Coordinates of all heavy atoms in Angstrom, one line a residue:
F51 N 124.0 -5.7 103.6 CA 122.7 -5.1 103.8 C 122.5 -4.7 105.2 O 122.1 -3.5 105.5 CB 121.6 -6.1 103.4 CG 120.2 -5.5 103.5 CD1 119.7 -4.8 102.4 CD2 119.4 -5.7 104.6 CE1 118.4 -4.3 102.5 CE2 118.2 -5.2 104.7 CZ 117.7 -4.5 103.6
L248 N 104.3 19.8 88.6 CA 104.5 20.6 87.3 C 105.5 21.8 87.5 O 106.2 22.1 86.6 CB 103.1 21.2 86.9 CG 103.0 22.0 85.7 CD1 103.4 21.2 84.5 CD2 101.6 22.6 85.5
S367 N 108.7 15.9 123.2 CA 108.1 14.8 123.8 C 107.0 14.2 122.9 O 106.6 14.8 121.9 CB 107.5 15.2 125.2 OG 106.5 16.1 125.0
L429 N 120.2 32.2 114.0 CA 119.7 31.5 115.1 C 118.2 31.4 114.9 O 117.5 32.4 114.7 CB 119.9 32.2 116.5 CG 119.2 31.6 117.7 CD1 119.8 30.2 118.0 CD2 119.4 32.5 118.9
T460 N 116.7 65.1 94.7 CA 116.5 66.4 95.2 C 117.9 67.2 95.1 O 117.9 68.4 94.8 CB 116.1 66.3 96.7 OG1 114.9 65.6 96.8 CG2 116.0 67.7 97.3
Q468 N 127.7 65.8 87.7 CA 128.5 65.1 86.6 C 129.9 64.7 87.1 O 130.6 63.9 86.5 CB 128.6 66.0 85.4 CG 127.3 66.2 84.7 CD 127.4 66.9 83.4 OE1 128.0 66.4 82.4 NE2 126.9 68.1 83.3
S531 N 120.1 53.8 104.0 CA 119.6 52.7 104.8 C 118.2 52.4 104.4 O 117.5 53.2 103.8 CB 119.6 53.1 106.3 OG 118.6 54.1 106.6

Side-chain angles (χ1 to χ4, degrees):
F51 183 85
L248 181 63
S367 63
L429 172 68
T460 303
Q468 295 189 67
S531 69

